[in-house]
Amino acid sequence: MSYPFQKIEKKWQAFWEKNKIYQAKDFDKKPKKYILIEFPYPSGDGLHVGHVRSYSALDAISRKKRMEGYNVLFPMGWDAFGLPTENYAIKKGIHPSIVTKRNIGVFKRQLKSLGLSFDWSREINTTDPNYYKWTQWIFLQFFKQGLAYQSEMPINWCPSCKIGLANEEVIDDKCERCGTGTEKRKIKQWLLRITKYADRLLKDLDDIDYLEKIKTQQQNWIGRSEGTTVKFLIPNSEFLIDVFTTRVDTIFGVTAMVIAPEHPLIDKLITAENKDKVKKYVEMAAKKSDIERTETEKEKIGVFTGSYCINPANGQKVPIWVGDYIIAVYGGGAVMMVPAHDKRDYQFAKKYNLEIKEVVSGGDISKEAFTDYGVLVNSGQFNGLKSGEAIKKITEWLENKGFGRMTVQYKMRDWIFSRQHYWGEPIPIIHCEKCGIVPVPEKDLPVKLPFVKKYEPTKTGESPLAAITEWVNVKCPKCKGPAKRETDTMPNWAGSSWYFLRYIDPKNKNCFADFKKLKYWTPVDLYNGGMEHTTLHLLYSRFWHKFLYDLKLVPTPEPYASRRSHGMVLAEDGKKMSKSFGNVINPDEIVKQFGADTLRMYEMFMGPFDQMISWNTQGVIGLSRFLNRIWQLKEKVKIDKKVLCPAECEVLLHKSIEKISEDLDGMKFNTAVSQLMILSNNFETYEKLPISIYETFLKLLAPFVPHIAEELWQQLGHKNSIHLENWPEYNPRLIKENKFDLVIQINGKFRDKVSVPQEITEKEARAIAVSQEKIKNWLKDKKVIKTIFVPEKLINYVIEQ
Ligand code: ANZ
Ligand code: ZN
């Protein structure tokens, strides 16, 4: 027989809602804690047990923080624009807004059935015109600052859906929605100038607490690279080619120039006899994806244009080739080819019999390219210099001659911000025959999506909105002449780039959020989401936030003080859960059969929070048994103050308070649950349990299993919610285990610390030190020269610089 979870879960959910106990209070005197989880896309499939994992976990943290006396903001909303809804709507002939409303209804019912402590009074929905009005307003600010612009862009094109796709919508060179191979096409697009913020997006990572692997991903995505830009003149013409190189020390070894098939000068460079050949090559390259083109394994093929340019270092004539492994939008889209010292160039030169000229000694270039640094040879006055030194000297020398300069390049490109879809925020721009591009006046926002029957793609590549003439044709706001609305919509990254700000002031009609409220609540103290969002979404929202900061509209330069990620929940068979595999676990079923508390606690117990883990039905059953045993414990509870339990029980309780508190803060939910199990096993060995101990136990349970904890609490005669009680404190004297903070240094500088037992040996201290994530990073690829251990103080790694 199970404890009556069905009855008590509904009862307490209603009680909490009626008493509004989870509402955050603006400007409250208590210290604030803003805890954010990525808001879901309300898909037609309903809530996934993967959602439940992170929501339950962050809910546990929120509850503990409230009990610790914080004014907690833990909000929820809907990231509801996007393709799946649009496609479903087209297929079924139902308007996307109706589909969205229905899906949100399902999600909300499911979330409420879990008893999560969201402040529902702040619910937001990115497809609500009152919300996207401000998304559009922020876009206009970008436009007014020159950071939103239109440009012909080679974009990924799906020949089947007849739409442009962003890089993130292309999976393995195939269209995300239909699986057809994508092509390149030039289309006029809106872009946001995120590259202008590249340096700050990189540098400010130092000041925020993100998981190291997340920082690394952001750094790689931004891809900062220092090098030299060199001008190669084309004789008898006004043109020149700029190349970017990180190895200007190899400039005397240049034996060809390779330009991208999309290089703007290409038509000027092709000589008559090479025309057909080059044109064919360029067409072929356009069909390939970037990944295919730059794969290092693939054979590099190219064609000669027939033209030459001049190497400014030695005045030599260099043949200009076209090669599809050159990325058009990086470093000027041209590369000085140095076959002796670059692998790709080496392959290319071998294939086409180009000269391989050694200019850095140290390898054997008859066998392969020598790509390391070395000492310069065959390089005129620079012979004998080491590569590092030569890079500086040659750059200076070229700079003085007016042929080069130090530059920084980024892999990151400007953000293509146009989509040719219906279900997105209309870009608030009007195109006038006379005035050109005119922003929609702010007073006319929002530009609402027209409610129409047809929103299929137009096949011409234009947005479905282009076919709705009564919506498209407008008067120009400036000259009142005939004009047309922009018909592209925003990508569904737009609404999620600032949603955390709207939770702070969700109903504001005058601005996206009141500055005083922002000042109280920002930055977000803890942001949790999937690993798949740690590059784009995080970068985009950091970019928007920094932009708003520059406009003095938000008080902090960074939106999130810390960022963590959870691991995915896989199916019982170890595969991804998917309808097509028939292995999906529906949270509704688990709630019905075992109760929400069991589901929540099971998902926290299933494994380390940041790791992928398979569902295990036996585990659910085990947890449900555990909760039933907790239900039984109440029979032992004695109100009688004279009932005492043995000293060891008291000690265990206090140790548990310490452990569970630390584990919750450290997001080690699974070990916190084990501790609760240890504690309750211990209680079961006694005949009687003093009420004071039992009450503390219930408080420890409350963040994990809020319903059963509330029921047992109020059965004791309490009238107030357990979730408003104080979090228990432990008595340090009871659990004194002689620990100290071991300081970990690298080359004498403080890098981390960790709490360890006083009697720790050097060997143990080393093992613990190198397992710390920060230290791992510091020591990565570094040679440790020696370690110094000072007992009860520190461990210092001396490493090669
Ligand atoms: C000459 C050279 C000689 C290079 C050598 C390397 C070794 P990162 O670190 O990624 O910035 N490159 C420049 N622009 C390129 C483009 N649009 N597409 C493909 N490759 C491009 O790498 C910079 C290096 O990548 C540059 O330095 C250039 O090749 C190549 F022994 O220039 B190097
Ligand atoms: Zn006009």
Side-chain angles (χ1 to χ4, degrees):
M1 250 301 278
S2 249
Y3 77 94
F5 56 80
Q6 271 163 339
K7 214 174 90 200
I8 67 169
E9 292 185 352
K10 291 221 174 60
K11 176 170 88 182
W12 295 119
Q13 284 160 16
F15 174 84
W16 297 330
E17 192 161 327
K18 189 169 146 244
N19 291 286
K20 304 187 163 102
I21 70 167
Y22 304 129
Q23 284 194 11
K25 291 181 198 70
D26 297 331
F27 310 118
D28 197 276
K29 282 204 185 58
K30 290 181 194 168
K32 69 96 183 176
K33 233 356 135 197
Y34 187 172
I35 297 172
L36 181 69
I37 44 178
E38 282 174 354
F39 61 164
Y41 176 71
S43 76
D45 297 337
L47 202 68
H48 187 278
V49 287
H51 291 120
V52 179
R53 187 180 193 193
S54 60
Y55 299 175
S56 304
L58 275 286
D59 186 57
I61 293 184
S62 299
R63 287 176 183 278
K64 172 180 176 250
K65 290 292 162 206
R66 275 188 212 102
M67 292 173 82
E68 284 179 334
Y70 288 95
N71 177 26
V72 171
L73 173 54
F74 184 47
M76 185 31 80
W78 317 105
D79 188 14
F81 274 129
L83 270 180
T85 303
E86 179 165 334
N87 289 342
Y88 179 85
I90 291 172
K91 208 163 85 194
K92 301 272 165 159
I94 312 171
H95 195 272
S97 66
I98 295 168
V99 178
T100 299
K101 204 168 158 201
R102 209 164 66 191
N103 291 349
I104 289 177
V106 173
F107 263 68
K108 198 163 167 179
R109 175 190 59 70
Q110 291 182 299
L111 288 180
K112 290 205 161 176
S113 80
L114 294 170
L116 298 159
S117 66
F118 294 127
D119 179 351
W120 285 106
S121 71
R122 293 167 185 262
E123 177 181 353
I124 57 173
N125 171 352
T126 55
T127 66
D128 177 350
N130 294 321
Y131 181 89
Y132 70 68
K133 168 179 178 175
W134 297 106
T135 312
Q136 291 175 332
W137 184 87
I138 298 171
F139 176 87
L140 287 181
Q141 310 313 308
F142 276 115
F143 178 76
K144 287 171 188 170
Q145 302 295 323
L147 295 178
Y149 64 98
Q150 272 194 305
S151 167
E152 288 267 341
M153 285 297 294
I155 60 150
N156 307 297
W157 174 258
C158 172
S160 160
C161 299
K162 306 217 185 310
I163 49 165
L165 303 169
N167 287 340
E168 63 271 11
E169 291 166 330
V170 181
I171 314 289
D172 294 334
D173 300 342
K174 295 194 180 75
C175 167
E176 181 190 51
R177 43 193 264 175
C178 76
T180 307
T182 55
E183 297 170 1
K184 290 273 172 197
R185 227 199 207 197
K186 269 201 170 168
I187 288 192
K188 210 171 200 192
Q189 300 275 341
W190 282 96
L191 287 95
L192 293 188
R193 221 180 283 283
I194 189 173
T195 50
K196 201 183 157 206
Y197 281 74
D199 241 348
R200 282 164 66 191
L201 288 169
L202 194 65
K203 215 174 86 246
D204 291 355
L205 285 174
D206 291 345
D207 307 330
I208 42 185
D209 169 30
Y210 285 16
L211 283 185
E212 280 308 312
K213 61 180 175 186
I214 298 177
K215 280 193 185 178
T216 309
Q217 281 194 358
Q218 299 241 314
Q219 282 156 356
N220 292 345
W221 190 267
I222 296 168
R224 184 179 197 275
S225 178
E226 278 178 20
T228 315
T229 297
V230 187
K231 287 183 168 59
F232 282 67
L233 297 185
I234 298 162
N236 310 319
S237 86
E238 68 209 273
F239 302 115
L240 57 86
I241 298 177
D242 269 330
V243 301
F244 173 73
T245 176
T246 45
R247 292 296 304 274
V248 79
D249 56 318
T250 64
I251 194 164
F252 287 85
V254 174
T255 55
M257 167 71 64
V258 198
I259 62 173
E262 299 85 359
H263 197 279
L265 286 183
I266 197 154
D267 290 332
K268 313 252 168 11
L269 295 172
I270 314 172
T271 53
E273 64 267 32
N274 292 298
K275 196 159 192 166
D276 291 347
K277 207 172 53 176
V278 179
K279 285 256 147 77
K280 226 190 244 150
Y281 180 83
V282 169
E283 269 166 34
M284 202 180 63
K287 291 219 172 76
K288 295 195 204 165
S289 70
D290 281 353
I291 304 171
E292 217 179 321
R293 282 172 49 168
T294 50
E295 246 172 349
T296 39
E297 311 311 318
K298 283 256 172 73
E299 191 186 32
K300 302 286 167 286
I301 51 168
V303 281
F304 179 43
T305 59
S307 296
Y308 294 82
C309 57
I310 304 294
N311 181 346
N314 55 15
Q316 265 174 21
K317 239 172 93 176
V318 179
I320 304 172
W321 286 65
V322 184
D324 67 1
Y325 65 95
I326 310 301
I327 300 162
V329 289
Y330 186 69
V335 174
M336 59 181 221
M337 167 142 48
V338 187
H341 303 291
D342 181 276
K343 283 207 179 78
R344 291 177 310 186
D345 297 352
Y346 193 86
Q347 293 172 15
F348 199 91
K350 281 275 177 207
K351 183 167 168 69
Y352 296 108
N353 264 323
L354 300 168
E355 192 194 345
I356 300 177
K357 181 179 165 198
E358 181 179 52
V359 288
V360 178
S361 64
D364 177 1
I365 61 151
S366 67
K367 293 210 184 75
E368 60 183 353
F370 174 65
T371 57
D372 290 349
Y373 277 12
V375 175
L376 266 62
V377 293
N378 299 322
S379 299
Q381 73 261 44
F382 301 100
N383 283 341
L385 286 181
K386 287 190 184 156
S387 291
E389 191 60 23
I391 288 175
K392 272 190 226 138
K393 288 265 160 69
I394 295 178
T395 303
E396 265 168 39
W397 178 63
L398 288 171
E399 182 148 19
N400 287 334
K401 302 205 302 173
F403 279 96
R405 74 202 138 85
M406 246 273 294
T407 47
V408 175
Q409 294 285 329
Y410 296 93
K411 290 267 146 54
M412 187 168 73
R413 333 241 177 99
D414 278 343
W415 172 10
I416 301 178
F417 202 69
S418 289
R419 296 293 183 274
Q420 291 73 41
H421 295 312
Y422 172 81
W423 196 227
E425 303 86 346
I427 290 179
I429 290 287
I430 289 169
H431 299 276
C432 168
E433 287 162 22
K434 261 196 248 149
C435 316
I437 296 178
V438 182
V440 171
E442 286 176 14
K443 67 170 176 39
D444 294 343
L445 296 181
V447 178
K448 284 196 199 165
L449 278 169
F451 195 90
V452 287
K453 289 240 161 60
K454 268 182 64 115
Y455 25 79
E456 279 88 352
T458 56
K459 311 292 174 199
T460 57
E462 276 183 301
S463 151
L465 291 174
I468 307 167
T469 42
E470 61 276 30
W471 183 81
V472 170
N473 293 322
V474 285
K475 269 195 217 143
C476 167
K478 261 195 199 158
C479 73
K480 310 289 174 224
K484 287 187 188 311
R485 282 192 192 282
E486 170 64 54
T487 58
D488 282 357
T489 52
M490 299 186 197
N492 78 317
W493 307 97
S496 60
S497 290
W498 72 282
Y499 74 111
F500 50 93
L501 299 173
R502 190 63 178 172
Y503 283 137
I504 289 170
D505 200 4
K507 298 188 178 83
N508 198 320
K509 289 210 155 68
N510 304 316
C511 60
F512 65 81
D514 175 70
F515 193 78
K516 284 204 203 85
K517 289 185 187 171
L518 290 168
K519 202 146 182 171
Y520 178 80
W521 284 112
T522 59
V524 171
D525 295 283
L526 173 60
Y527 189 20
N528 190 80
M531 242 354 245
E532 68 277 18
H533 297 136
T534 48
T535 42
L536 297 176
H537 162 62
L538 272 196
L539 273 174
Y540 293 160
S541 54
R542 291 181 61 220
F543 163 48
W544 278 44
H545 196 83
K546 285 183 180 308
F547 170 69
L548 294 173
Y549 177 70
D550 289 348
L551 296 183
K552 304 198 162 51
L553 297 173
V554 298
T556 62
E558 283 286 338
Y560 322 115
S562 71
R563 166 79 186 196
R564 298 289 180 271
S565 282
H566 56 265
M568 262 204 311
V569 179
L570 302 173
E572 195 125 26
D573 54 15
K575 288 195 216 144
K576 214 174 151 165
M577 281 190 200
S578 147
K579 268 197 209 148
S580 57
F581 296 140
N583 60 6
V584 177
I585 302 281
N586 182 344
D588 284 348
E589 295 291 315
I590 308 292
V591 170
K592 211 167 112 200
Q593 208 181 335
F594 300 100
D597 281 340
T598 295
L599 174 61
R600 297 169 55 126
M601 196 179 227
Y602 165 66
E603 293 214 26
M604 282 187 259
F605 185 56
M606 67 197 310
F609 184 61
D610 60 344
Q611 284 168 31
M612 250 197 250
I613 200 97
S614 295
W615 186 264
N616 180 331
T617 302
Q618 280 312 311
V620 183
I621 294 170
L623 243 144
S624 145
R625 276 202 207 110
F626 172 59
L627 292 187
N628 276 314
R629 276 164 50 198
I630 285 182
W631 185 258
Q632 301 303 328
L633 268 186
K634 64 182 176 183
E635 308 303 332
K636 295 177 185 268
V637 177
K638 295 293 168 257
I639 311 269
D640 184 355
K641 289 263 182 336
K642 270 173 277 165
V643 175
L644 292 173
C645 72
E648 62 172 75
C649 166
E650 188 93 22
V651 170
L652 182 64
L653 180 74
H654 283 258
K655 275 191 177 165
S656 302
I657 298 173
E658 187 198 25
K659 171 110 182 92
I660 292 164
S661 305
E662 282 181 4
D663 282 356
L664 271 176
D665 289 341
M667 303 187 94
K668 294 180 193 151
F669 306 98
N670 55 332
T671 52
V673 175
S674 329
Q675 193 63 34
L676 287 166
M677 289 174 171
I678 291 170
L679 199 55
S680 78
N681 285 345
N682 181 269
F683 290 165
E684 280 176 343
T685 63
Y686 308 121
E687 238 163 75
K688 294 173 181 171
L689 209 52
I691 185 154
S692 63
I693 289 203
Y694 180 67
E695 285 189 343
T696 304
F697 176 63
L698 292 182
K699 289 181 194 169
L700 292 174
L701 278 175
F704 302 88
V705 282
H707 307 90
I708 194 171
E710 186 80 289
E711 172 69 22
L712 294 170
W713 179 255
Q714 304 221 14
Q715 278 187 14
L716 294 175
H718 296 291
K719 290 278 171 290
N720 285 331
S721 171
I722 189 170
H723 302 294
L724 301 175
E725 287 296 312
N726 289 334
W727 184 249
E729 276 174 34
Y730 61 89
N731 181 344
R733 263 177 306 136
L734 270 178
I735 57 164
K736 203 163 142 238
E737 216 185 356
N738 300 337
K739 283 189 158 189
F740 75 101
D741 280 346
L742 175 73
V743 167
I744 311 170
Q745 301 179 332
I746 311 272
N747 290 345
K749 283 214 186 82
F750 173 88
R751 293 305 179 200
D752 207 357
K753 64 173 191 219
V754 54
S755 172
V756 298
Q758 214 129 40
E759 58 288 346
I760 193 167
T761 64
E762 171 163 5
K763 204 171 148 203
E764 289 162 344
R766 281 197 208 194
I768 290 178
V770 298
S771 67
Q772 304 302 307
E773 209 184 344
K774 281 188 198 150
I775 302 302
K776 261 193 222 159
N777 253 306
W778 279 104
L779 295 180
K780 206 167 82 196
D781 305 325
K782 292 278 170 21
K783 208 176 135 196
V784 176
I785 299 165
K786 65 173 172 183
T787 355
I788 300 157
F789 177 66
V790 184
E792 290 187 31
K793 270 221 169 76
L794 59 84
I795 185 159
N796 179 16
Y797 287 87
V798 180
I799 61 169
E800 233 170 42
Q801 298 277 15

